[in-house]
Amino acid sequence: MSLITTSTQYEAFGAADLVIEAATENLALKIKILNLLEPHLKANAILASNTSSISITQLAQVTQRADRFIGMHFFNPVPLMALVEVIRGLQTSDATHQVVHDLAKTLGKTPITVKNAPGFVVNRILVPMINEAFFVLGEGLASAEDIDVGMKLGCNHPIGPLALADLVGLDVCLAVMEVYFTQFADSKYRAAPLLREMVAAGRLGRKSGHGVYVY
């Protein structure tokens, strides 16, 4: 902890070899941050994004270092989850990929290499499953508790999809589904009405004290 320095100024990143952007899943916000950040970075610094769904190629395009731009997606909760998706954009260099892949291992994580696509690998599978759980809940097929118990015991998942949505944030789940719906232009990625309604009501999960469950 003694090695950690905090700052609210972009100038503080000037000495860094690697900077990881970890803003919420909002394309305009991420682009704004990257534009404000990059002028302060060293010429050879690597710039990464922790995005869970937004195109690495698209984000790289707004920078002057597309070959040194990469996705480094940590999974929540980060202290407990071993996985890091290392996502290569169209212009990500082999050298950048190798540095970030090796760094993930140094951090005690298990990296997997992923091509750029909406949601990459894990969330491409996971978030539509969570969304489907909201369809099932909204249709009244079972209670939230029984849906989660069913998936934990029937599929050997450590946490049910609705409880996981509360942990991730319902607004984040909705934002990811909207990215899929836009990028794939496929109705199977439409967000569940109940998910939309709960986000509109401010029931975002653990961070707001109320999502599917009350905290």
Side-chain angles (χ1 to χ4, degrees):
M1 293 296 292
S2 65
L3 297 176
I4 295 176
T5 302
T6 62
S7 177
T8 58
Q9 303 301 316
Y10 288 105
E11 293 87 346
F13 293 95
D17 296 313
L18 168 69
V19 177
I20 305 172
E21 167 275 312
T24 190
E25 290 298 278
N26 180 301
L27 177 61
L29 176 61
K30 288 182 181 291
I31 289 174
K32 178 182 178 181
I33 290 171
L34 294 175
N35 285 334
L36 290 170
L37 172 66
E38 188 172 28
H40 302 288
L41 301 183
K42 296 190 298 187
N44 63 344
I46 293 173
L47 189 51
S49 176
N50 185 49
T51 180
S52 59
S53 64
I54 297 173
S55 170
I56 295 300
T57 297
Q58 184 177 6
L59 291 174
Q61 186 60 27
V62 306
T63 75
Q64 302 301 312
R65 61 187 74 223
D67 62 320
R68 295 186 302 287
F69 194 94
I70 195 166
M72 196 175 188
H73 179 210
F74 294 83
F75 282 76
N76 193 29
V78 176
L80 301 179
M81 301 292 280
L83 182 66
V84 174
E85 283 182 322
V86 179
I87 306 118
R88 300 191 62 153
L90 188 63
Q91 294 173 275
T92 303
S93 70
D94 291 341
T96 297
H97 168 260
Q98 192 64 54
V99 167
V100 172
H101 189 274
D102 291 347
L103 174 62
K105 288 185 174 180
T106 300
L107 295 174
K109 302 296 185 181
T110 300
I112 62 170
T113 299
V114 179
K115 291 182 179 180
N116 185 63
F120 316 123
V121 169
V122 175
N123 281 340
R124 170 80 174 272
I125 298 167
L126 175 64
V127 180
M129 182 196 73
I130 291 174
N131 188 58
E132 195 65 26
F134 278 94
F135 272 115
V136 170
L137 181 62
E139 293 167 14
L141 299 183
S143 67
E145 292 81 359
D146 283 350
I147 290 168
D148 278 349
V149 169
M151 291 302 293
K152 286 194 293 183
L153 300 184
C155 298
N156 202 29
H157 290 185
I159 185 172
L162 297 172
L164 180 57
D166 276 355
L167 179 63
V168 171
L170 272 62
D171 54 334
V172 175
C173 294
L174 177 59
V176 171
M177 288 304 299
E178 289 178 334
V179 168
Y180 295 170
F181 187 77
T182 300
Q183 295 294 321
F184 290 115
D186 190 329
S187 62
K188 75 178 182 179
Y189 294 113
R190 70 196 184 283
L194 178 59
L195 176 59
R196 288 189 180 279
E197 186 173 9
M198 293 178 71
V199 171
R203 290 175 54 175
L204 307 181
R206 288 180 178 269
K207 62 186 174 185
S208 69
H210 194 181
V212 177
Y213 302 100
V214 178
Y215 299 91

